[in-house]
Amino acid sequence: MPMLFSSVQSNLDDLTDLAEQLSSEEYNAPCPELGGATIGQHFRHIIEIFLCLINNYETGSINYDKRERNRKIETDITTAVEHIDHIKENLEKENKPLFLEQTLNCTKLRIQSSYFREVLYNLEHTIHHQALMRVGIRKFDRLILSESFGVAPSTIEYRKKCAQ
């Protein structure tokens, strides 16, 4: 599944590029456009979902609700980038069955999934948060983002077809 992993790598590179352009103040400033959330909080959320998947690969049981919630990732750009690098270095694994666990309305669910399916979920989840961040950082007109930052691959393909 080389295409899946290269897409995630590219997406994570885009996050690193953004992180390296932001000041600590910008990374930590509450964004009214994001309901008061910070860009750093979005980074933390993305990173921790990936870490949850990678760190629980061996057990075969993933529960995204039980992620770490490491405040240093959301407040320190260097720490966030270090974690992104760790994810990129450890993401490529063999596909295997996994179980996704979650509690909904006091009911514990256990749903079969696979590693590749969860990597794809993490990619889509990241794109969603990038789209939100794009709104929050709009006011910083000096930032350079890739055209695909926060845009679903299907939207990119659709736009290409419309342009022809």
Side-chain angles (χ1 to χ4, degrees):
M1 199 53 67
M3 177 57 80
L4 175 60
F5 291 120
S6 67
S7 293
V8 173
Q9 295 279 350
S10 176
N11 189 271
L12 292 173
D13 287 342
D14 286 347
L15 275 178
T16 299
D17 290 345
L18 172 59
E20 291 173 345
Q21 295 178 67
L22 292 170
S23 69
S24 181
E25 293 76 23
E26 293 164 339
Y27 189 76
N28 287 288
C31 297
E33 304 87 351
L34 302 177
T38 68
I39 298 302
Q41 287 171 325
H42 282 273
F43 266 80
R44 178 191 53 78
H45 184 71
I46 291 166
I47 290 166
E48 288 181 346
I49 296 291
F50 270 110
L51 290 176
C52 188
L53 176 60
I54 290 168
N55 294 340
N56 290 288
Y57 174 83
E58 292 302 323
T59 69
S61 183
I62 311 300
N63 187 330
Y64 294 117
D65 292 338
K66 293 184 178 178
R67 62 191 180 277
E68 184 180 352
R69 292 174 171 86
N70 180 342
R71 188 148 158 72
K72 191 164 183 190
I73 295 171
E74 81 178 54
T75 59
D76 183 68
I77 295 170
T78 302
T79 301
V81 171
E82 287 170 357
H83 279 83
I84 291 169
D85 290 342
H86 173 78
I87 293 164
K88 287 170 25 182
E89 291 167 8
N90 292 281
L91 185 67
E92 283 196 50
K93 298 181 183 308
E94 294 292 320
N95 194 28
K96 73 175 199 175
L98 298 175
F99 285 94
L100 182 63
E101 296 179 349
Q102 190 167 358
T103 301
L104 292 174
N105 299 323
C106 300
T107 302
K108 290 186 179 190
L109 301 176
R110 184 171 162 90
I111 301 168
Q112 188 165 1
S113 187
S114 71
Y115 183 68
F116 288 173
R117 169 65 189 98
E118 294 305 312
V119 171
L120 181 60
Y121 162 76
N122 275 258
L123 175 60
E124 292 294 325
H125 176 258
T126 299
I127 292 167
H128 164 74
H129 279 274
Q130 286 175 326
L132 292 169
M133 285 190 279
R134 187 181 272 276
V135 171
I137 61 174
R138 200 180 226 155
K139 59 189 165 234
F140 308 125
D141 54 358
R142 72 180 199 305
L143 299 178
I144 299 169
L145 299 175
S146 73
E147 288 184 26
S148 63
F149 189 94
V151 182
S154 61
T155 302
I156 293 168
E157 289 303 313
Y158 176 76
R159 288 176 180 169
K160 285 179 186 175
K161 287 179 185 174
C162 289
Q164 293 177 355

